[in-house]
Amino acid sequence: MICLLGLFKKKEKPQSKPKKEQTSNKKNNEVIAGRKGEIGEYKIDIQLSQLPKEYMYLNDIMIKNEKSASGYSQIDHLVLTPYGIFVIETKNYQGTIYGGRNRKQWLINGKFKMINPVIQNYGHIQALKTIVDKKFHSNFISLISFTKRCKLIIDMDLREISADEIVIYDIYLTETINRKVAITKLKHKEPLLTEADIEQVYNTLSKSNITDPTKRDQHNKSLKEKTSTNKSAAAKCVVCSKPVSQKVKDYCMANKKFGGKVYCYDHQRSRYYIQNSGRQLELL
């Protein structure tokens, strides 16, 4: 006779992952994210190596910037050409990117925020101008490069090749640089930068590049701490000021009944304090 007792055994609740395992998973995710970033950088390096030989380029430059929160600016790539100095900021996001030139923050998938990369790269260029000769200041061109893993929904003027601040997909990087150079070349009979000028700027930036690993780690740590502080400051229950996770915050922001306010789990489920049109209503 088949035993049926096993069918009526109480199901055990799945055990939560030990803290060590959670920490391990977090580290693994960070490693994966780092590797994706490295792959993205490698793809850019390959493209830059295919540019004309008279061009010069620098990768991963870190210079002093008194106006930055960390005291430094870290620039992904710089390309020096006879018709412009291209300052390239690379982004390795996945999803739909919503943004405009003058918006302080852009959105990823309509929920997660990121610093406006146009403003970010503007800050990089201003830092570079404190180092190079003033006669080169008008030659800077800002390029923001996103991977094809995302979809860009941004101001159309940021996609115009005639602009000095351009947002593109990474697969079009060398094409954009070559097109921009060709257009500028038509406007000017003589190069804007001579071979000697390019070499001068290259040497100046190379000498200013901070390679000390301690200072670089300090810079990265400062940025992470700032990001963490901003998240924790923004993700608190409006009733009890209890910190909430990013997931809880996103849920509240996406739910119209919370009126754009963030509530902890307890106050979401309770009969108290739901903000609507400036009044506190009791949930029924």
Side-chain angles (χ1 to χ4, degrees), residues 150-180:
C150 67
K151 178 182 179 182
L152 295 174
I153 300 181
I154 59 176
D155 292 348
M156 289 305 298
D157 62 335
L158 291 173
R159 307 297 297 275
E160 294 292 335
I161 192 66
S162 58
D164 286 334
E165 293 178 321
I166 311 172
V167 181
I168 59 171
Y169 290 110
D170 58 357
I171 60 174
Y172 304 120
L173 181 60
T174 52
E175 178 186 339
T176 301
I177 292 174
N178 288 330
R179 284 181 62 199
K180 186 69 177 175

Side-chain angles (χ1 to χ4, degrees), residues 77-256:
H77 307 278
L78 274 159
V79 179
L80 310 172
T81 80
Y83 292 92
I85 302 171
F86 294 85
V87 182
I88 304 167
E89 175 69 22
T90 60
K91 298 297 181 184
N92 189 28
Y93 291 107
Q94 181 175 355
T96 304
I97 309 296
Y98 301 89
R101 181 187 299 277
N102 299 318
R103 292 185 184 180
K104 187 176 181 180
Q105 294 178 318
W106 288 13
L107 293 178
I108 307 167
N109 293 327
K111 296 180 180 180
F112 306 103
K113 295 178 181 179
M114 62 177 287
I115 298 172
N116 181 338
V118 178
I119 295 176
Q120 182 184 11
N121 216 31
Y122 173 82
H124 292 165
I125 291 173
Q126 295 306 113
L128 289 167
K129 286 181 178 180
T130 64
I131 298 173
V132 302
D133 194 295
K134 192 174 181 179
K135 66 180 180 180
F136 302 121
H137 287 192
S138 61
N139 301 131
F140 285 103
I141 300 164
S142 174
L143 276 182
I144 315 298
S145 168
F146 282 87
T147 68
K148 282 292 287 181
R149 296 168 63 238
C150 67
K151 178 182 179 182
L152 295 174
I153 300 181
I154 59 176
D155 292 348
M156 289 305 298
D157 62 335
L158 291 173
R159 307 297 297 275
E160 294 292 335
I161 192 66
S162 58
D164 286 334
E165 293 178 321
I166 311 172
V167 181
I168 59 171
Y169 290 110
D170 58 357
I171 60 174
Y172 304 120
L173 181 60
T174 52
E175 178 186 339
T176 301
I177 292 174
N178 288 330
R179 284 181 62 199
K180 186 69 177 175
V181 167
I183 291 172
T184 308
K185 194 173 182 179
L186 291 174
K187 296 179 182 178
H188 302 273
K189 293 181 180 180
E190 298 294 329
L192 302 177
L193 290 88
T194 64
E195 186 176 338
D197 289 335
I198 292 174
E199 190 170 348
Q200 178 186 336
V201 175
Y202 180 89
N203 291 335
T204 299
L205 294 177
S206 295
K207 290 177 181 178
S208 301
N209 181 29
I210 298 169
T211 58
D212 184 349
T214 303
K215 291 183 179 179
R216 282 180 170 257
D217 288 342
Q218 182 183 351
H219 166 70
N220 292 327
K221 184 179 179 181
S222 176
L223 294 180
K224 286 181 180 179
E225 287 177 350
K226 183 183 177 182
T227 302
S228 178
T229 301
N230 290 340
K231 283 184 178 180
S232 61
K236 288 184 179 180
C237 175
V238 294
V239 178
C240 63
S241 297
K242 177 183 176 181
V244 300
S245 67
Q246 187 66 35
K247 186 176 181 180
V248 171
K249 177 187 173 184
D250 293 338
Y251 170 76
C252 291
M253 298 303 289
N255 200 320
K256 291 182 179 179

